[in-house]
Structure formats: C-alpha cells, structure tokens
Amino acid sequence: MTQPTSTALQQLVVLIREATGNVIPTARLSFLEEVAQRRAQVTGRGSLEEYVRALAAHQIEGEWGTLVSLVTIKESYFFRAPQQFEVIVRQVLPGLARARAGTRHLRIWSAACARGEEPATLAMLLAEEPSLNGWTWTIVATDLDEEALAGAKLGLYGERAVSQVPPPMLERWFKRRGKLFELDAGLRSRISYQSLNLAHAPFALPFAECDLVLMRNVLIYFRRPLQRWVVSQVAKLLAPEGYLFLGASETLWQIQDELESVDLGPCFAYRHRKPQPAAVPATPPPKRVHRKPPPEPPAEEKPRWNGETPRDWSVSRAATAVAPAPEPPPAAPAGGVQERLLAAARDLAENRIEEARRILDAILAADPSEPAAHALVGFLHDLCGRTEEAVGAYRAALYLDPALFQPRVLLADCLLRLGKRDLAEHQFREVLTLLTSGREKALGLFEGLPLPDRERAQRRCRQVLKGG
Ligand SMILES: C[S@@+](CC[C@H](N)C(=O)[O-])C[C@H]1O[C@@H](n2cnc3c(N)ncnc32)[C@H](O)[C@@H]1O
C-alpha cells in the first residue's frame, strides 16, 4: 500500500525536480521523507512544512547542496561498462588522434562524474595509451554534487569501486591506505573537477568543443523534455568529429535527432549526423519483418521554455540561462501506475501499439525510473522490429531493477538477433544465475504478452548456451 503523500513532501519533490532535474520515484518517497525530516531537525526547523518553506526561500545556508547530495544516486565504479572503455581505446581514440594530429590535444568531458570513478578510468587509459605519447589532454569532470566532487579530488575509494580495475593497473595507479585505495595524485592532477548542473544552462566548460563526452547514467533520472534539452546543449558542445557515450541502458531514441547512434560493435555511441548526400533515386526499404504493423512515428514534441531565469540555487550559482519548463505528461488513462501498466500490456497484446505507447510515455514522463514501463517499451520496440531500441529499453529496465529476469531474457534474444552472441550469452548466463539464486523478480501479470515464465526462461537459456 502506498502512503498518501503530504503536501510538503510533494512540494519538495517538485523543488528538487526544478532545481536538479531529478525525478524522485514513488518508491523513494518514504526515503526522501525520512531524509527531509532529519534535515528539518538538524537545521532547527520544527516540521517538514517549515523546512520545505525555508528551503524554497533559500533561507538555509548550504542546505540545497547537502540535500542534493543525500537524495541523488551516486552509484559508480571504475571501468563501469568496460565494453565502452574498450571501444574508446580501440576505435574512438585512433579516429580522434587522426582528427587532432594538428594540435595533439584532446578535450574530454565526463558529465555527472559522481566521485570521479569514470574520469579517472579514462585518465588511466589515456596515460597508458602509447599512441598518445607526447600529446596533452584535458579531462573536465563535472557533477552537481559538491560533496561527490570533493570525494573525487580526495581520490580515496573502497574495495567495491576498484573491483573491476585490472590488477596491473590497480598496482600502477593506486596505493593501499588501510581498507581504501588512493588514486595516484599525479593522475588526479590531470583531471579538472568542477561543479555543473545539467538542468540549467550555461554549461561553462574550459573549452568550446569536446572531442569526447561521457554522460552516463544521469539522463535516466530526468524527464524527457529535460533529457532532450540537455542533449541539445551537449550536441552544441560536441566537436564535429566528437563522440558522446551514454549509460549502457540509455538511448536517445525519440529524444532528439541532431546526433545519430553509431554501432561500434559491443556498444553504441552518438555522433553528429552526417550531412545527407544529394538526392539519389531511392532504393525501396527492406521488407519489414514485423509480426504486427509498426506504429506511426510520433509527432515531435516541441520543447517549451518558461523564459524565466532559474532559481538562485546554491549548487548552481553560475546558472544564468533558461531551463526547459516542465511539460504536462501526455494524456493517458487515469489510474495508478499498475493499472496503467496493465492497460498498456493489454494494448500491446491486442496490437494497439499507439495507445500502448501513449500510456507508457505518460508513465515514464511522470516517473522515468519505473522499470516495468521501460520493459514494456522494450517489448513495444521489439514488436515493431526496432531491435536496437528494444535493447536500450530493456537495459533501462534492468538498470533500474537488475533482478527482473524476463526483460533480461528478451534483451538476450535481441542481442542474438543483432549478431552479438557473446553479449547475449552473458545475459543468458546472468538469467540462469539469477534463477538459481532465487533472487529473481518477475514483471507483473501482463496477460496476453508472451513473457517467459521461470521454466521457459531456464529452458531458453540452456538451449542457447548449448549452442542452440
Ligand atoms: C549514477 S551516477 C553516474 C556516475 C557515472 N557517470 C557513471 O556512469 O558511473 C549519477 C550522477 O549524476 C549526478 N547528477 C544528478 N543530477 C545532476 C544534474 N542535474 N547535473 C549534474 N549532475 C547530476 C549525481 O550527483 C550523480 O553523481
């Protein structure tokens, strides 16, 4: 049973979203309430209502920074999504080295860098890359959370954060400090840490163009209009030859079309769209293999602007430009999230793709962290033959709830279809491990959708892993 939410808590959710872009999902409301109550006490406010009022009026010095640090998710570790780093070293750097042979300088931005695990991973790789000997590079690592940035500058990490660092690199770049690992100070000094709030312009970087941008696992916490706006700002800062990497579960599908996704083998990145060649006689599109007809492409939503300067919010004092106004969620049937998910599943089962899409868009517009909605979006793409988009949506579902075994089986099947057998096998093995551990979770009862139950999932995994 969900508890009714107090008005003060609802106001706080809106304030946090306006200031940082982060949507607080329903499942985290009780956590937010607990944190806010504690902060109300610490800051000498008698009640949650008083605390929220004072926060809104910026009457508590430094409080926004503290609160943001407590409520944003800082999950990160070195070599997270290693396939992306492998691709950066093997494919991206050689291309960039050719493009920058004149200046022998690379400009890199790690946006939403948490405690610095991501920029430091890049710094190690660049420092060890023989083809960059004699080159200079700048890595700017930014985050909204000043405390996380202070942690990054300190460079001390626990066992878990460094668990994926290859042992020789751990040896070279870290010193053991009791239970912690200290990142080499020389390497740290090559990274410039600065506060930057992605929810408000301008994005003040020390260079006008970036050759490489890592903006991973942050858009997922934003609503779609803000995602679109952030990406358009980043696109302006991306050099014509540059690359943008998002989190493995994030996609720009339906978000913008300035940048196009490029398939780099084990992962995707985004680049500026190449200019279309002059008109040539069109070849007919390949025959569709949809089981069901594809939906109409959605009408492009126009970003709306409120034209106001953003709040004077202590964490983003530099912000001077407009931020996108929140858009009303797309119209969709009323009811709780579970009811609307069921309605979307029914629509999918009965081939009412457009209706399903509208419901799912509305659910995700209100709460982008609802895993079942992402899973159903994956299913929708899958149904329409958009396998790559389905992969992105299934990954988003699994990022939010790794124990869901059904989206993992569907993801694995998509990867097989895309010819990525290694990645698919990895996912099938994960499903088996999950099912054996008994920690797996199933999606709600979506009648009519061919979601595998535990037995079928197990059979499918074994069949593929045996070479079927
Ligand atoms: C899950 S971590 C991602 C860390 C790293 N990029 C990775 O993929 O491992 C998300 C980070 O986004 C930051 N963040 C959230 N909202 C932000 C905003 N509006 N502007 C900048 N950073 C933000 C959080 O403080 C947090 O450090």
Side-chain angles (χ1 to χ4, degrees):
M1 267 286 283
T2 27
Q3 296 293 318
T5 311
S6 74
T7 314
L9 194 62
Q10 280 168 358
Q11 280 168 355
L12 185 57
V13 167
V14 173
L15 284 176
I16 292 175
R17 198 175 62 230
E18 284 177 355
T20 74
N22 286 251
V23 175
I24 307 287
T26 322
R28 293 192 87 221
L29 281 181
S30 52
F31 166 76
L32 176 66
E33 185 164 21
E34 227 178 274
V35 170
Q37 295 280 15
R38 210 169 50 236
R39 293 306 305 162
Q41 264 180 12
V42 174
T43 57
R45 312 290 142 164
S47 64
L48 183 61
E49 286 70 18
E50 221 183 288
Y51 173 72
V52 173
R53 249 196 323 274
L55 195 66
H58 296 271
Q59 286 168 348
I60 323 176
E61 183 74 33
E63 183 58 16
W64 263 112
T66 309
L67 183 69
V68 160
S69 189
L70 291 168
V71 300
T72 48
I73 293 170
K74 239 80 56 193
E75 162 77 6
S76 190
Y77 46 90
F78 287 83
F79 286 89
R80 180 180 200 176
Q83 72 280 9
Q84 294 189 330
F85 290 107
E86 196 186 317
V87 157
I88 288 172
V89 171
R90 285 173 197 257
Q91 301 184 49
V92 171
L93 288 182
L96 288 178
R98 276 192 298 278
R100 298 284 167 261
T103 57
R104 292 166 75 80
H105 183 71
L106 295 177
R107 300 149 306 173
I108 296 165
W109 178 22
S110 163
C113 66
R115 297 191 181 91
E117 299 86 341
E118 175 182 284
T121 303
L122 262 180
M124 283 187 258
L125 293 169
L126 293 179
E128 295 202 355
E129 177 51 42
S131 64
L132 294 182
N133 271 344
W135 283 57
T136 53
W137 37 266
T138 310
I139 300 180
V140 178
T142 68
D143 201 281
L144 162 79
D145 181 354
E146 301 273 8
E147 268 185 38
L149 289 169
K153 287 181 201 162
L154 202 62
L156 285 171
Y157 298 94
E159 195 113 16
R160 199 177 157 268
V162 299
S163 62
Q164 307 295 316
V165 180
M169 291 182 104
L170 192 66
E171 179 78 15
R172 278 195 290 278
W173 296 109
F174 291 87
K175 269 201 199 90
R176 211 157 180 148
R177 300 275 183 224
K179 283 190 172 163
L180 300 176
F181 293 81
E182 185 186 3
L183 179 67
D184 180 78
L187 196 70
R188 260 182 288 147
S189 71
R190 300 187 73 176
I191 304 169
S192 137
Y193 300 97
Q194 85 180 49
S195 157
L196 188 149
N197 182 356
L198 289 168
H200 296 283
F203 295 175
L205 296 178
F207 33 70
E209 279 190 339
C210 308
D211 299 311
L212 173 61
V213 178
L214 268 64
M215 184 168 62
R216 307 186 310 158
N217 305 306
V218 62
L219 287 183
I220 197 155
Y221 302 111
F222 298 167
R223 283 183 166 182
R224 191 169 285 184
L226 181 61
Q227 294 177 337
R228 185 174 297 137
W229 179 80
V230 171
V231 173
S232 72
Q233 300 303 302
V234 172
K236 286 185 203 153
L237 289 164
L238 191 67
E241 309 81 4
Y243 290 80
L244 163 68
F245 283 81
L246 301 180
S249 64
E250 293 166 323
T251 164
L252 296 185
W253 192 82
Q254 277 199 351
I255 290 181
Q256 63 82 58
D257 52 15
E258 255 166 283
L259 303 177
E260 64 180 349
S261 77
V262 282
D263 186 350
L264 297 171
C267 65
F268 288 88
Y270 290 87
R271 305 196 70 190
H272 282 290
R273 208 167 269 290
K274 290 202 189 72
Q276 293 299 311
V280 284
T283 44
K287 275 216 160 26
R288 292 198 180 272
V289 291
H290 309 302
R291 283 197 276 147
K292 297 179 178 175
E296 284 296 304
E300 184 53 72
E301 290 168 70
K302 297 263 185 315
R304 291 197 292 110
W305 303 85
N306 61 7
E308 292 167 9
T309 45
R311 299 164 174 277
D312 170 28
W313 179 57
S314 56
V315 177
S316 67
R317 286 202 195 286
T320 54
V322 289
E327 281 185 18
V337 173
Q338 199 50 36
E339 276 168 3
R340 289 190 291 154
L341 285 170
L342 286 172
R346 255 194 320 274
D347 283 335
L348 283 176
E350 289 165 24
N351 199 22
R352 292 188 295 268
I353 303 285
E354 196 46 35
E355 286 85 338
R357 191 189 65 79
R358 228 176 313 121
I359 298 174
L360 294 169
D361 272 0
I363 296 174
L364 289 173
D367 180 358
S369 64
E370 171 52 60
H374 284 286
L376 290 182
V377 169
F379 200 86
L380 184 154
H381 287 313
D382 222 352
L383 215 53
C384 299
R386 292 189 294 260
T387 312
E388 279 154 13
E389 285 80 11
V391 165
Y394 290 140
R395 284 214 160 112
L398 293 168
Y399 174 79
L400 295 162
D401 194 343
L404 289 171
F405 73 95
Q406 290 144 321
R408 208 175 278 286
V409 176
L410 297 171
L411 166 67
D413 271 322
C414 282
L415 292 168
L416 264 190
R417 257 178 278 138
L418 289 171
K420 302 184 181 213
R421 188 161 186 105
D422 285 359
L423 296 179
E425 286 187 358
H426 170 74
Q427 294 298 339
F428 282 121
R429 272 194 294 274
E430 288 281 301
V431 175
L432 281 182
T433 313
L434 199 59
L435 291 173
T436 323
S437 73
R439 283 181 294 104
E440 81 282 1
K441 285 194 211 153
L443 288 166
L445 252 193
F446 294 136
E447 273 168 36
L449 291 191
L451 296 173
D453 60 17
R454 288 171 176 76
E455 239 169 65
R456 269 180 43 214
Q458 242 163 0
R459 265 206 312 276
R460 175 76 186 130
C461 297
R462 295 211 169 100
Q463 177 201 12
V464 175
L465 293 171
K466 269 197 211 131

